[in-house]
Amino acid sequence: MSQPDLPADRLLITVAPTGAETAKADCPQLPTTPEEIATTAAECEAAGAAMIHIHVRDADHRPTLDLGLLREWVAAVRSASSMVVQLSTGGSVHDPLEDRLRVLDAEPDSCSLTMGTTNFGDDVFSNPWPFVCELYQLSQERQVVPEFELFDLGQVHALARLLDKFGLPYGGRVHCDLVMGVPGGMNGTADALVAAVRDLPAAVTSWSATGIGRSTLAVALVALSKGGHLRVGMEDVLTLARGVPVEHNRQLVERAAALGALAQRTPMTPDEARVLLGTRAGS
Ligand code: KMH
Ligand code: ZN
């Protein structure tokens, strides 16, 4: 996997600070307002994150895909940091597909794009093939770089099928994220990660991994061993250790940077991340 124009030791740290699953009432430290997301973005960039994966909340702290709020959050993050802004098109398991397509109207640099339907705890995260194809073509048209979210090995295969059918993403780079340890998806283990990386299509130019809950450290360590990048954040894990809650997303970014330092990897700057991912110039 090549990183043209970048030193080989560079590590992309993506922060996913909010997600759609945790209630503010259960976790008051979760960033759920434009002010909180701006502060989080600035702190996480200072700690080494170069991209932010955003799920927006409304005034009642509930997940929303309201276009006005999406735009407000994108602007808040851009005013506080220079990180690559990635909006979730996954939303919550309750969001209609048509609302998820409209996320691109908020003009992010990047969008998540999940490669298939997954059982998601007791719910279903719906990503039918026609929806995946429509969202992908829309991302090409709007010049938004997708991050392909892969929850299982079948979705790795589906990515090859998508690229064969519709060609490369805008920008010509192919970045994906292995989301591991979701109840219903692939296991958050070294063996599962090795199998998924082995099967990635040859067109993939970079990949990161994230382990949900307790799998977070195992997945991060094996991702670094395999030369991958890291996604961390309170979307995926709410404790630093058993009984020790995360107080700030920056703690998870700091820990990712520290693990990277042990593996002799240097956090990438947002400008370097733009080269890695092929996002629009000036965004
Ligand atoms: N909230 C999950 C149902 C994404 O952001 O694209 C989907 C998710 C993936 O988090
Ligand atoms: Zn997400």
Side-chain angles (χ1 to χ4, degrees):
M1 235 142 283
S2 61
Q3 291 188 179
D5 309 322
L6 291 177
D9 74 327
R10 290 298 189 267
L11 172 65
L12 172 65
I13 302 176
T14 299
V15 64
T18 306
E21 281 70 42
T22 301
K24 182 78 162 177
D26 295 335
C27 184
Q29 63 274 37
L30 197 71
T32 56
T33 67
E35 296 73 29
E36 288 170 350
I37 202 69
T39 304
T40 297
E43 289 177 355
C44 289
E45 182 178 357
M51 176 152 74
I52 184 166
H53 167 88
I54 300 177
H55 289 255
V56 171
R57 299 291 178 105
D58 65 16
D60 296 322
H61 309 284
R62 283 193 298 251
T64 179
L65 294 180
D66 176 85
L67 185 56
L69 287 172
L70 289 172
R71 288 188 191 281
E72 190 180 340
W73 278 51
V74 168
V77 168
R78 287 200 172 127
S79 69
S81 88
S82 55
M83 280 191 290
V84 177
V85 174
Q86 178 183 97
L87 282 178
S88 167
T89 64
S92 90
V93 290
H94 309 292
D95 286 320
L97 300 180
E98 57 272 21
D99 291 1
R100 291 169 53 193
L101 288 170
R102 275 199 295 272
V103 165
L104 298 197
D105 292 353
E107 301 177 62
D109 307 314
S110 171
C111 66
S112 59
L113 199 169
T114 296
M115 286 308 307
T117 295
T118 307
N119 283 320
F120 198 85
D122 295 339
D123 295 303
V124 176
F125 177 29
S126 186
N127 295 283
W129 178 247
F131 169 75
V132 169
C133 295
E134 190 176 349
L135 179 55
Y136 184 50
Q137 290 173 277
L138 194 61
S139 75
Q140 289 173 314
E141 197 184 301
R142 301 285 182 87
Q143 305 188 346
V144 174
V145 169
E147 174 182 278
F148 299 102
E149 310 294 340
L150 307 173
F151 286 69
D152 69 30
L153 217 49
Q155 293 179 15
V156 177
H157 184 210
L159 174 58
R161 188 176 166 218
L162 188 81
L163 296 173
D164 278 352
K165 195 163 165 130
F166 297 108
L168 292 175
Y170 171 76
R173 314 281 295 157
V174 181
H175 178 71
C176 49
D177 181 49
L178 305 172
V179 186
M180 311 186 67
V182 169
M186 68 181 141
N187 212 352
T189 61
D191 289 343
L193 185 140
V194 168
V197 171
R198 178 201 61 204
D199 278 5
L200 288 175
V204 169
T205 48
S206 59
W207 60 272
S208 61
T210 188
I212 305 302
R214 280 202 209 135
S215 69
T216 188
L217 280 172
V219 166
L221 290 167
V222 71
L224 288 169
S225 298
K226 291 288 290 175
H229 300 279
L230 301 178
R231 176 178 121 169
V232 295
M234 292 174 75
E235 173 166 346
D236 301 332
V237 64
L238 294 167
T239 55
L240 291 167
R242 194 185 292 270
V244 184
V246 177
E247 296 295 343
H248 302 281
N249 277 282
R250 68 163 183 271
Q251 293 172 291
L252 294 168
V253 176
E254 285 164 358
R255 183 166 73 175
L259 292 176
L262 286 173
Q264 302 186 350
R265 304 274 298 276
T266 306
M268 206 173 269
T269 65
D271 280 348
E272 289 173 327
R274 288 187 165 78
V275 173
L276 180 82
L277 301 167
T279 55
R280 277 189 305 260
S283 60

